[in-house]
């Protein structure tokens, strides 16, 4: 193609971006629009850039200007704006190291615990919940709220001195939802669950957020409960609460577990499969589920969350043994673990700022093909 012809075509395209008409790019090969995280983003959990320039447009893509802007800026949606002014995150330590931590601060910039100081309920009616995002969708780093450390920062799990990542088990890549936890919940390891016949796993209850937006590590999302599945992890009950952000475009269409299959066909089946096989590449057996992997409805899940909230209340009020969990907090009235704001800020100030970053593992790009018996 001659240079002058090429420039004329580019001018035409740029002029049409500013018009009301669609942008149409044609070529013999057909494909889709992909938002693809880089390997570094999958490692660090930074999600996707909100820049329109990060859109990978196939030669046959046809998008009008409004669609282009909507897709390009999806990560700056209302939910991000709602939470950004109320909770802040502060990273400490070298990224990709065992010293790396994500601490939380309130809207005044004072240090808080995401486990104890962020309320479980996000509205007065107690129908919307706060979810702390530990792992953004499509990332592999196994991040989790640190139970044993003061202020409970998010850190990466470590095994044999090495940072842990979940394997890519075909056709899944990394975590297939925004993954995190409900604050102010605790699965009591001394409580025998009547439904599963197993005791709790000593963690806050896990949450899967299935909406379209890729969250960022440390986001606090407002979600509604849709249902739950009950993983039995090494003999312990490990509830997985299925939710959707109330700000998601299809949130009004999804109100119970039956709606998930209608609006997100195949996702429940894929979720159960993911939990069954994700540890197999590490040499561990297939995980098991209560109820044969059947998902329970929103009413059942809400009851389960309420129970773990009561267990947390007992924990933070020192009515039960803390099981190695730091209950340091700045907001829970009457808690023996309540501290002044300056004491909490001191915990943050004394946290590590060092560490040696590990190189990005080549294993992040490897597929594992798992066959279940």
């Amino acid at each position: 193609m001659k240079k002058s012809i090429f420039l004329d075509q580019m001018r035409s395209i740029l002029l049409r971006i500013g018009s009301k008409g669609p942008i149409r790019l044609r070529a013999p090969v057909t494909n889709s629009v992909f938002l693809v995280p880089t390997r570094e983003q999958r490692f660090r959990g930074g999600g996707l850039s909100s820049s329109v320039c990060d859109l990978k447009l196939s030669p046959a893509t046809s998008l009008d200007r409004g669609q282009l802007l909507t897709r390009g800026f999806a990560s700056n949606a209302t939910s991000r704006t709602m939470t950004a002014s109320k909770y802040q995150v502060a990273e400490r330590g070298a990224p990709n190291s065992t010293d790396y931590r994500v601490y939380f601060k309130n809207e005044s910039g004072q240090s808080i615990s995401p486990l104890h100081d962020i309320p479980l309920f996000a509205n007065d009616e107690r129908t919307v919940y706060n979810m702390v995002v530990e792992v953004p969708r499509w990332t592999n780093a196994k991040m989790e709220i640190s139970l044993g450390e003061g202020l409970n920062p998010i850190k990466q799990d470590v095994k044999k001195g090495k940072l842990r990542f979940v394997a890519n088990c075909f056709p899944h890549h990394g975590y297939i939802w925004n993954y995190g936890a409900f604050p102010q919940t605790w699965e009591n390891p001394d409580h025998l669950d009547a439904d599963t016949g197993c005791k709790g796993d000593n963690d806050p209850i896990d949450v899967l957020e299935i909406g379209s937006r890729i969250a960022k590590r440390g986001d606090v999302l407002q979600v509604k409960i849709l249902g739950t599945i009950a993983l039995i992890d090494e003999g312990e009950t490990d509830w997985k609460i299925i939710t959707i952000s109330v700000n998601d475009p299809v949130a009004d269409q999804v109100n119970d577990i039956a709606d998930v299959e209608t609006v997100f066909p195949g996702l429940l089946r894929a979720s159960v499969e993911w939990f069954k096989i994700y540890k197999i590449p590490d040499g561990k057996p297939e995980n098991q589920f209560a109820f044969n992997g059947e998902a329970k409805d929103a009413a059942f899940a809400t009851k389960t969350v309420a129970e773990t909230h009561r267990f947390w209340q007992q924990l933070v009020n020192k009515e039960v043994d803390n099981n190695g969990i730091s209950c340091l907090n700045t907001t829970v009235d009457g808690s023996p673990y309540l501290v002044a704001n300056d004491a909490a800020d001191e915990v943050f100030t004394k946290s590590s700022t060092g560490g040696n970053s590990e190189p990005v593992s080549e294993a992040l790009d490897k597929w594992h093909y798992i066959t279940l018996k």
Side-chain angles (χ1 to χ4, degrees):
M1 182 182 295
K2 293 183 179 180
K3 182 177 181 181
S4 60
I5 297 174
F6 174 79
L7 291 175
D8 287 342
Q9 291 184 350
M10 289 303 297
R11 289 191 192 99
S12 176
I13 290 172
L14 291 173
L15 286 172
R16 295 186 70 182
I17 290 176
S19 71
K20 296 181 180 179
I23 305 167
R24 299 187 185 277
L25 306 176
R26 299 293 185 186
V29 180
T30 60
N31 213 323
S32 303
V33 176
F34 292 95
L35 291 175
V36 183
T38 65
R39 191 149 64 93
E40 180 66 17
Q41 287 168 334
R42 297 198 301 271
F43 184 89
R44 296 188 61 183
L48 293 168
S49 168
S50 59
S51 170
V52 172
C53 296
D54 285 339
L55 277 169
K56 302 294 190 285
L57 294 178
S58 74
T61 298
S62 175
L63 294 176
D64 66 28
R65 188 167 182 266
Q67 288 173 320
L68 183 64
L69 293 176
T70 299
R71 296 192 187 193
F73 288 97
S75 62
N76 283 337
T78 304
S79 59
R80 183 68 179 177
T81 304
M82 285 178 61
T83 60
S85 62
K86 193 165 187 179
Y87 300 107
Q88 310 165 33
V89 295
E91 295 176 298
R92 300 283 281 183
N96 312 330
S97 78
T98 56
D99 288 286
Y100 176 75
R101 299 290 186 275
V102 178
Y103 284 87
F104 286 72
K105 294 177 179 289
N106 64 16
E107 55 192 336
S108 301
Q110 294 169 333
S111 301
I112 62 170
S113 161
L115 177 58
H116 305 301
D117 294 315
I118 295 176
L120 171 61
F121 300 103
N123 65 347
D124 292 336
E125 296 77 18
R126 296 192 166 198
T127 56
V128 179
Y129 297 75
N130 286 314
M131 170 197 178
V132 178
V133 176
E134 298 164 310
V135 187
R137 181 190 289 116
W138 307 140
T139 64
N140 300 72
K142 195 176 186 304
M143 308 298 296
E144 57 188 19
I145 291 173
S146 176
L147 299 181
E149 299 179 27
L151 297 183
N152 314 110
I154 292 176
K155 69 171 186 177
Q156 190 163 353
D157 193 19
V158 175
K159 183 178 181 180
K160 296 181 179 179
K162 294 291 185 180
L163 300 175
R164 287 191 65 189
F165 300 88
V166 298
N168 300 312
C169 298
F170 184 83
H172 314 299
H173 195 293
Y175 287 75
I176 62 175
W177 344 257
N178 294 313
Y179 187 85
F182 277 149
Q184 298 187 342
T185 62
W186 178 53
E187 295 191 60
N188 188 344
D190 295 322
H191 171 74
L192 185 67
D193 190 279
D195 294 304
T196 67
C198 298
K199 295 183 178 181
D201 68 351
N202 199 39
D203 284 328
I205 202 164
D206 293 324
V207 183
L208 319 178
E209 193 281 316
I210 64 174
S212 59
R213 175 179 172 266
I214 298 176
K216 296 182 183 298
R217 183 183 304 148
D219 274 355
V220 181
L221 305 182
Q222 285 70 57
V223 302
K224 60 180 178 179
I225 291 175
L226 307 175
T228 186
I229 50 180
L231 175 67
I232 304 301
D233 190 357
E234 299 182 8
E236 296 176 333
T237 303
D238 190 3
W239 294 104
K240 308 296 180 183
I241 307 298
I242 301 163
T243 70
I244 190 168
S245 167
V246 295
N247 297 300
D248 192 84
V250 300
D252 290 343
Q253 303 174 38
V254 190
N255 297 293
D256 213 326
I257 199 65
D259 301 326
V260 176
E261 183 60 28
T262 301
V263 181
F264 300 92
L267 181 58
L268 288 176
R269 183 176 64 254
S271 298
V272 171
E273 178 185 80
W274 193 96
F275 283 111
K276 280 186 176 181
I277 67 178
Y278 85 103
K279 289 185 178 181
I280 292 179
D282 296 329
K284 293 188 176 181
E286 171 189 335
N287 274 328
Q288 303 299 313
F289 279 86
F291 320 117
N292 294 315
E294 175 192 352
K296 295 297 186 179
D297 63 15
F300 185 101
T302 300
K303 175 180 69 70
T304 301
V305 172
E307 183 176 58
T308 61
H309 182 53
R310 288 193 297 272
F311 291 150
W312 168 82
Q313 290 173 322
Q314 295 171 356
L315 176 73
V316 78
N317 287 308
K318 211 173 184 177
E319 296 172 14
V320 295
D321 185 80
N322 65 11
N323 284 277
I325 298 174
S326 171
C327 296
L328 194 73
N329 70 85
T330 62
T331 60
V332 184
D333 290 339
S335 169
Y337 304 103
L338 182 70
V339 298
N341 290 329
D342 55 354
D345 286 336
E346 186 177 2
V347 173
F348 169 75
T349 302
K350 289 182 177 180
S351 62
S352 174
T353 57
N356 297 313
S357 296
E358 295 185 8
V360 178
S361 172
E362 294 296 328
L364 295 183
D365 292 325
K366 182 179 180 180
W367 285 115
H368 294 268
Y369 293 84
I370 308 297
T371 301
L372 295 176
K373 296 179 180 180

